[in-house]
Amino acid sequence: MLRSLKVKDYMTRDPLSFSPQMEVLKAVHQLLTHHLSGAPVVDEAGKVVGFLSEKDCLKAALNATYYEEFGGQVSQFMSSPAITIDVESTLTDAAEMFVSKAHRCYPVMDDGRLVGQLSRHNTLAALERLW
């Protein structure tokens, strides 16, 4: 049953994203405001070039604590390359990725274009509906 469910039907559309040049403190604020654990980083051409997670933001906070250097650009702290999932993937594929990797969410791609984001929460909500 899970194999018939597609990522496109459970993802969050119009995901929050950051530019590599954005100030990391502003990105942290947006993650907190939107209650997200991370968001993709997209260049001027719309290509996903990285992912900024809560863990990456904690690195920025530690950097500020240790070196008394507050802030910096998202590109200094993001993880790259971003691990993504295809819009046509099944929720079984997504669940396997969530179990095998530490990531809490993935950018969803359609023909190289960012179209959404899928979180562990989205996936569990879909499973709950099945049960």
Side-chain angles (χ1 to χ4, degrees):
M1 212 162 29
L2 189 58
R3 292 190 186 279
S4 65
L5 303 179
K6 299 286 186 174
V7 165
K8 67 182 175 185
D9 297 322
Y10 297 95
M11 69 183 189
T12 301
R13 298 184 187 280
D14 299 320
L16 175 67
S17 64
F18 305 124
S19 74
Q21 298 80 24
M22 178 184 252
E23 176 59 41
V24 72
L25 296 176
K26 182 177 178 183
V28 168
H29 177 73
Q30 288 188 7
L31 287 176
L32 294 171
T33 300
H34 290 89
H35 305 285
L36 294 172
S37 62
V41 180
V42 181
D43 68 11
E44 301 81 29
K47 181 181 176 201
V48 175
V49 295
F51 194 85
L52 186 72
S53 68
E54 291 171 320
K55 183 177 179 180
D56 298 322
C57 294
L58 288 172
K59 291 177 192 174
L62 285 174
N63 190 57
T65 300
Y66 293 144
Y67 303 108
E68 295 184 12
E69 295 175 5
F70 296 96
Q73 294 185 336
V74 165
S75 61
Q76 294 174 258
F77 301 100
M78 70 182 189
S79 300
S80 183
I83 298 173
T84 63
I85 191 165
D86 190 83
V87 70
E88 292 296 329
S89 295
T90 67
L91 285 187
T92 301
D93 298 330
E96 288 174 351
M97 288 175 68
F98 285 126
V99 168
S100 67
K101 297 178 179 13
H103 303 306
R104 297 177 66 187
C105 54
Y106 294 105
V108 179
M109 307 299 287
D110 185 11
D111 198 29
R113 188 173 52 90
L114 178 67
V115 294
Q117 183 167 309
L118 184 75
S119 67
R120 289 178 183 174
H121 184 88
N122 299 131
T123 306
L124 287 173
L127 293 173
E128 181 183 44
R129 286 185 211 129
L130 283 177
W131 297 331

